[in-house]
Each structure stands twice: as C-alpha cells, then as structure tokens.
Amino acid sequence: MSIKKNRLLCIIMTIAMLVAFLPSMAFGLEPVEPVEPAYAYIPNMGDASVSKVDLTAETPLVVARYFTAPRLDAAGDWGDLFGSAAGDLTAIAPAGWRTSRLAIDPAGNAWALNTGADSGVATVQGSVARIQFDVSGLTTTSTSAGDIKLFGTDEAVTVFPIGDRGDCPRSINVTADGRIFIGFHKAYEKWGYFQEYSFDGTDLTPVGPRIYGLGVSDELGDPYPAFDIAPYNATIDVNGTLWFVSYGSSRVNRNGGTFGSNNGIYSFNIDDPLNTFERHLESSPTGEPMGYMKSGYGILIDDSDPENVIVYATIMDTAGGATPGFYIKDGNASFIKSGIVTYAPRGLAFDDNGVIWIANSSNGSVTSFNPDGGATANYTGFGSVPVGVGKDPEGRMWIIVRDSNKLVGFDPATPNDRITIGSGFNQPYAYGDFAVHTPPTYCICGYKLDADTEEGLGNWTIELFKKDDAGGWQFVKSTTTSAIDGKYCFDGLLAGEY
C-alpha cells in the first residue's frame, strides 16, 4: 500500500471547497461553458400562478403553469392559504394575492411572491412559492399551459409563509451563493424592512435580524427607522450592495391614522447593512442639488466596473412629488434625470450590446437607450400596459404586456419584427430579468504527485464527495489519474462544497 502524500491534491480540494461559488479559480478550479437557458418563469397576478415559457423553441410557447395559491373549490368557496388572522374568516380570491416579483436561484429554481396586496385583508399572511426547475421524477404540471394541477397537488411547487401577517412581501433577490433577500412593503402597524433567508432543501429560515431603514430603537423595543422604507423592487450588484426602490405605501400606525413611506432609492451592503444603509440624492442635469430621490419603480445596474457602479432607474408617476422619467446615477454622483422621453416607464433590461430597453406602461411602447453615445428610439404597438423586460440566451428581448396577457419578443436589431406568445397568461406581472439562467458547471482538476520526486503518478483512483444539505458527505463520482502526468479532472459539477 502506498503512503505517498498527495499534497497538491489537498491544496486543490481545499481551495475548491472554500470558493465553490466563484466562477473561476487558480489551482485547478476551471469554469466550463454553461448550458444555455431555455425557459422563463412569468408570474400572473390575475390568478396567482406562474407560467413556464420555452423561449428557445422554434415556436416559443408556455409549456407549463403552476398555481401558487388556492382557487375556487367545488363547493363554491375560496381556499385560504395560511388563513387570515384569528377570527378573521375572510377568504382570498386568487387575484387578491397579486402574485408578482420573481427571482431565480443558482440552481434555476423560481421563487415567486404572493404579496396579498389586493386581498382586502389587512392581516393576510404573505408567502413565497418555490418552483422546482428539475422536475424529473415529480408529479407536476408539464404538458401544456392548460394542464394545471390543483393547488397543493403539484410536487414542483412548495409555498412558504414569510414575515408577519400584513407585511406584504414585494421584492425578492437570490445571490449567486443562494442567499435570499425579501423586502416587505407595507408592514401592518409597523415599518417596511428586508429579511435574509436560507433554504436547506426543505425549510426556509430567516437569517439575522430584520433590516429597517437606518434604525435605532423606540420605546417599544422595535427598530425605529429614520426613513420608513417600502421595498418595491431591488437588485444586488457584484459588490454585495442591494439597491432598492421604496415606493407608494401607507399603513396604519400605532396611534391611529396612516403614514406614508419615504419614497426614493436606497442601498445597503448585505454583509453590513447597519453601517452602509444610504438614501440617495438627486441633482438637476446642471448639477444643482435637489434633495433625496422622491420615487422610483424599475432599477437596473451596470457593475462591469465594481469601482464605478452605474445605476439606472425609472419613475412611473408623480408619487411623492417626483418627476416621471429615466434616471442615471454614475458612480458616487447623485441621480440625474435624463432627457430621454419615456411614458410611465417601468421595467428595464440590457441587451447583449449594452443597450437598455424600457417598458412604457402608458402608451404601449418600448424605448431603447444606448449608454455609449446616448442614442434613443421608441417603438410602439406592443399592447396594453407593458411592464417587464427580459433577455433570452439567444439575445432576444422579451416584453411582458400585462393587460394584453402576452409576451412579445424581438431581435434588438429588428425590434419591429416580433414574436408574440398570446396564450397561457393571466395579467403577467414582473419587472426584472425573468429568464432562467441555468447554473454554470465547473471542473475540479489536479495532479497526483510523488511527494519526494513530484513526478506524476498514473492509474490512481480519485474519488469525489459533495457536502449534502444535512452536512454529510455524499459520493459523487470517481476517476483515474493520467498515466502520463498524474492529472485528473472532474467536470460537469454544480456549485457546492466538494
């Protein structure tokens, strides 16, 4: 039996375990070209469902629908997901859940929020529906847009209650390493906040304290914010800074009456929110200070230069005294309203050439803006209330048109030549990039060396193990070292600890 020590192997494997979620790494961790995504998940606020869309089929279409909340049962009663507060027997129709806002995790699973914003029940329990990307072996909806399993019978869907009753979750983001951040928009008798969650494969668990706006403590022991935030839409940049829009909420306070949120745009670093929480300023196009940003709606970041993150935002209406339009924040500067003409703008996204496409909800059009040079154009005829913009793996842009119940796609080079998916939706509603980005796979490579001569040792069996959700180690696969130089490689690996 050989007792030669494999020192390089130990180094390589330790590094791979420590940086398993990084896209590339020296000492043997090499990126493999990812499988291109083929699907998008679109929340439907009209009936509390999510449509799964094959965007890369020869004829793009909805291939599955998933109910995220109860609907009318055979007895004519509405089901009640988690119920209302004790003694409040008001049931909630599917449209009352206002299912919207969606994020995709590193494994391609969709997380859609049941906000409860239109329920008419102040104490409704908000929730998040997790839709499994890999449905092999599950009893699930998979044949067509019309083949929808009853709520609670589709094994691809798991629903988790989140926050307290009345808290209205309205933004969700998942980081590359699976951390989940949910923003609660109009907490009943309290203040809006963010909460981090972790998912272990079975349970969704809050992590750390709630993140309020620049909080201290009031006499009741709750964090009291200097700014009462109402998270509405959010994104996280490469530095770990979460940028969010606070928009349009009012709720009952402890002393009666109502109070509104401090509309605007805020940010904090997810690893140090207390010391990094910031409300952002606005300046005129000529540089004069104009106070805090007064509102916001859609938000998009360019973090290709981590030292100079550029933030783009849309303001749809005059809430809080704001001026509707398209705003730009370059690095440490204030937000400045651009001269681009928009029409109640909402969602926005980049195409493959760095051009930004903006959905205009008031006149059925889409505006393009090239940050490199400032060229703009406007394209009409998309339908009633465009709200969201996304991009598929082939570079086509897709527009969610809420009140026309359709998804419209086009090549950015020919935006008037369009593809329309006109069935399988019920008031589709999302702002961010809703296309599934199938997770990249990785290689772990190394050499089996003689500890004394450092010559390669061939024909050794190397076994690979991965840490499971319970913290144990599960065998993945084995390989044999090369007879030439002792090299081995494991490829096709998803992110994890090995």
Side-chain angles (χ1 to χ4, degrees):
M1 177 183 294
S2 172
I3 57 171
K4 299 292 186 182
K5 296 180 180 178
N6 192 342
R7 294 178 295 184
L8 184 57
L9 172 61
C10 293
I11 293 172
I12 293 170
M13 295 299 287
T14 300
I15 291 173
M17 290 168 63
L18 292 175
V19 299
F21 291 104
L22 297 180
S24 62
M25 185 67 198
F27 302 107
L29 186 60
E30 303 170 0
V32 175
E33 196 69 25
V35 177
E36 290 291 357
Y39 300 106
Y41 289 94
I42 312 295
N44 295 295
M45 60 177 280
D47 66 355
S49 71
V50 172
S51 299
K52 181 178 181 180
V53 187
D54 186 345
L55 298 176
T56 52
E58 183 174 353
T59 302
L61 75 165
V62 175
V63 294
R65 289 275 297 281
Y66 304 96
F67 286 143
T68 63
R71 39 266 308 127
L72 192 66
D73 64 22
D77 298 320
W78 292 107
D80 191 5
L81 178 61
F82 307 122
S84 304
D88 182 353
L89 302 180
T90 305
I92 298 167
W97 288 105
R98 198 178 184 90
T99 302
S100 60
R101 313 299 197 276
L102 181 140
I104 306 295
D105 70 21
N109 307 301
W111 296 78
L113 295 178
N114 293 316
T115 72
D118 294 337
S119 67
V121 181
T123 53
V124 63
Q125 174 67 64
S127 60
V128 60
R130 179 183 181 272
I131 300 171
Q132 179 76 23
F133 176 69
D134 181 3
V135 296
S136 55
L138 300 181
T139 301
T140 183
T141 302
S142 59
T143 59
S144 71
D147 178 24
I148 312 173
K149 289 192 172 296
L150 294 175
F151 176 75
T153 68
D154 194 320
E155 294 180 352
V157 182
T158 308
V159 181
F160 302 93
I162 49 176
D164 295 330
R165 294 185 180 277
D167 283 0
C168 189
R170 216 157 185 173
S171 76
I172 182 167
N173 301 94
V174 185
T175 66
D177 55 356
R179 298 169 67 183
I180 301 170
F181 290 84
I182 296 176
F184 292 86
H185 181 249
K186 55 176 184 180
Y188 184 64
E189 293 188 342
K190 293 184 179 180
W191 304 280
Y193 63 93
F194 279 87
Q195 176 69 63
E196 179 179 354
Y197 290 86
S198 67
F199 180 65
D200 64 3
T202 303
D203 297 317
L204 187 69
T205 306
V207 177
R210 292 175 176 178
I211 303 165
Y212 292 87
L214 299 174
V216 293
S217 293
D218 71 1
E219 68 277 9
L220 299 179
D222 287 337
Y224 182 85
F227 298 116
D228 174 37
I229 59 173
Y232 199 76
N233 192 13
T235 188
I236 301 175
D237 70 23
V238 70
N239 298 315
T241 298
L242 187 151
W243 299 82
F244 72 95
V245 168
S246 176
Y247 173 79
S249 175
S250 63
R251 51 258 192 194
V252 177
N253 67 24
R254 289 193 172 107
N255 299 315
T258 61
F259 60 94
S261 72
N262 291 114
N263 288 355
I265 296 178
Y266 299 74
S267 67
F268 60 86
N269 188 277
I270 60 176
D271 293 318
D272 187 19
L274 181 62
N275 294 311
T276 59
F277 204 104
E278 182 178 0
R279 187 181 187 187
H280 293 281
L281 298 168
E282 177 185 353
S283 295
S284 73
T286 55
E288 291 84 5
M290 299 176 65
Y292 292 119
M293 283 286 286
K294 297 180 179 63
S295 191
Y297 218 85
I299 191 163
L300 178 70
I301 56 173
D302 175 1
D303 56 5
S304 55
D305 178 0
E307 301 298 322
N308 188 63
V309 174
I310 302 173
V311 184
Y312 302 93
T314 57
I315 292 180
M316 184 189 72
D317 56 28
T318 58
T323 302
F326 179 64
Y327 288 72
I328 303 172
K329 181 184 186 301
D330 193 343
N332 294 321
S334 301
F335 279 92
I336 296 176
K337 184 178 184 297
S338 75
I340 300 169
V341 177
T342 53
Y343 306 88
R346 298 200 188 191
L348 64 170
F350 288 109
D351 68 18
D352 284 340
N353 294 315
V355 174
I356 298 172
W357 295 83
I358 306 165
N360 295 308
S361 60
S362 68
N363 73 344
S365 73
V366 172
T367 296
S368 67
F369 166 67
N370 189 342
D372 184 12
T376 67
N378 186 257
Y379 304 92
T380 60
F382 280 85
S384 180
V385 191
V387 292
V389 187
K391 179 177 69 68
D392 73 17
E394 296 183 357
R396 291 179 298 195
M397 305 306 293
W398 291 90
I399 311 299
I400 297 176
V401 189
R402 189 189 68 190
D403 290 4
S404 293
N405 293 315
K406 64 183 180 180
L407 193 62
V408 180
F410 57 88
D411 185 323
T414 54
N416 289 317
D417 184 9
R418 301 168 190 169
I419 304 166
T420 298
I421 305 175
S423 62
F425 303 107
N426 190 331
Q427 287 199 292
Y429 196 39
Y431 296 128
D433 189 356
F434 39 80
V436 172
H437 297 276
T438 302
T441 58
Y442 301 87
C443 279
I444 295 177
C445 297
Y447 294 84
K448 179 71 175 177
L449 303 179
D450 185 289
D452 298 322
T453 66
E454 296 192 356
E455 293 180 355
L457 299 175
N459 301 315
W460 278 63
T461 298
I462 307 295
E463 294 183 341
L464 182 67
F465 293 80
K466 182 179 182 181
K467 183 174 284 188
D468 59 23
D469 293 332
W473 292 95
Q474 297 294 322
F475 174 76
V476 178
K477 63 174 81 173
S478 63
T479 191
T480 303
T481 60
S482 167
I484 298 174
D485 55 6
K487 184 176 182 179
Y488 64 89
C489 274
F490 296 98
D491 58 15
L493 304 175
L494 294 174
E497 293 188 47
Y498 291 90

